[in-house]
Structure formats: C-alpha cells, structure tokens
Amino acid sequence: PHLFLTNTTSRPRRDLAPKLARMGIVAGADAILTPPVAAARWLREQVSGPIALFVPDATREEFDGLPVVDPEYADHPAAVVIGDLGRRWNFDLLNQAFRLLMVEPRPHLVALGLTRYWRAPDGLRLDAGPYIKALEYAAGMSAVVMGKPAAPFFAAAHALLGTVAGDTWMIGDDIRTDIEAAQRAGLRTILVQSGKYLPQDLALGIAPDAALPTIAALPAWWGEHR
C-alpha cells in the first residue's frame, strides 16, 4: 500500500491526479493526502465558528461545507488558515492575516505545511513556511500544522494505509521536511537526490535509511531490499 503526500496547497487533489498520470503514475484523488484535506478534517472536529482562508482559489473546494468567510470582512474568525499564495503575498495581505490573529478571543492559526521553499522552473521559491513563521512571531502564537513536517500529518498517512510507523517508509527529496520530519514521527526514510535535493544536505547530520539518485531507482532498490 502506498500514498502520495504533498504540501501543495495551490490546487485540489482532483488536479494533482492528472499531473501524476502525465508522469506515468496512476493515482486516484483518494491516494493523495494534502494539507487542505487534513486541515478541513481537523477544523470540522475541533473548531466551531467562521474560518478565514488565505489559500489559492482552486484549493477552497477542499473546505466545502465549512463556514468560510472572506478575510476582508471577517470580524472574529475562529480559525485563520494559511496556505501557499505565492506571488499574491504582499504586506497588506500578510498584515490582514496578522490583524485577524490579534482579535480576542484569539483564533487558531492553521498552517498548511511549513515547507521553506520549493524548486520552480526558474529556480527556488519561498513556500508558505516563512510567512507562517512571520505570523507566529508577530502574533505570539504557535500554528497548528497540517502538512509536513508535522508528525500528525505522517500519522494520518499511515493510518490511512493501515500500517504502523516503523513499517512505513517516507520517500522524498527534502532533507528536513521529508526525511528528518518522518524520522521524528517514527518512519523509515529514503532520500531521492533530485528535485530540491542539494549535495550539502547530507552534511547536516540527518541520515536517511537509504539514498537513491532519483525516484526511478526505487523499484529496483525495493525489489532487492524488501
């Protein structure tokens, strides 16, 4: 059994499945776990009241059925949800989120992952993590994290798989968000040395159980070591 984990918050699962298919990987939407899906489940169970979303428009459908309000007109939200808005982030938008977090009683700050950056065609780009850290610092509060590297996100994954942490492997290209975080959650890890991987990552004192040049090397490695 396997599951695809992603901190992508810019598009819903129904858009991610065709992207995988174009790479030759067949996966239905139910085989993909994203932070918005995990966050919506948590909000339904833990929060009562309006929710202000700072997420891409395409991702809002994952929150259908929840009492979502426009951040511009929200007075006392019960939760403020932060995703990856990319170039839409500016001072006014970040300040708007900050002001909502300062309203009493304080709302929950819900982070759709804490990824620091990702690799785009034109080079590295900041992800949602730096903006969430700025809001935590300014508002004097800690975010409830729903994506990698939060341990509950990995726990949700192997719960869906019906496995236990020690028998579950995390395979990824981010030495901290994928490998270190999964190890802290009790999973075994394989680092793929492509994507956002940098050679200096292996000098950080984080040792994956295995390292592969690309994901294409996984089937042969798995067949030999399983």
Side-chain angles (χ1 to χ4, degrees), residues 46-222:
Q46 303 292 333
V47 174
S48 177
I51 299 160
L53 296 179
F54 289 82
V55 303
D57 293 338
T59 309
R60 297 175 70 90
E61 68 181 57
E62 302 286 16
F63 295 89
D64 285 350
L66 290 167
V68 174
V69 295
D70 188 330
E72 187 173 352
Y73 303 104
D75 292 327
H76 296 85
V80 175
V81 180
I82 306 294
D84 179 20
L85 289 174
R87 288 190 171 92
R88 285 180 57 191
W89 282 119
N90 56 36
F91 173 81
D92 290 336
L93 195 61
L94 197 61
N95 199 56
Q96 184 181 75
F98 164 68
R99 287 178 173 177
L100 291 177
L101 292 170
M102 296 299 287
V103 173
E104 297 290 348
R106 293 291 196 97
H108 295 281
L109 170 59
V110 180
L112 301 185
L114 278 180
T115 302
R116 298 169 296 154
Y117 59 86
W118 60 287
R119 185 178 294 279
D122 62 348
L124 299 180
R125 293 186 187 178
L126 290 176
D127 208 308
Y131 299 98
I132 293 161
K133 285 297 183 181
L135 290 170
E136 284 185 321
Y137 176 72
M141 64 195 316
S142 297
V144 178
V145 183
M146 291 298 166
K148 301 178 293 181
F153 194 61
F154 295 102
H158 59 72
L160 288 170
L161 292 174
T163 62
V164 296
D167 292 332
T168 307
W169 291 75
M170 176 64 195
I171 305 162
D173 63 353
D174 189 310
I175 192 69
R176 293 200 181 278
T177 303
D178 292 332
I179 304 305
E180 182 182 42
Q183 289 177 340
R184 289 178 175 175
L187 283 72
R188 304 176 75 181
T189 59
I190 299 175
L191 175 68
V192 289
Q193 296 169 314
S194 58
K196 67 164 57 175
Y197 165 80
L198 297 172
Q200 55 265 38
D201 288 348
L202 292 177
L204 297 176
I206 303 166
D209 293 283
L212 301 175
T214 73
I215 192 69
L218 177 63
W221 184 92
W222 190 257

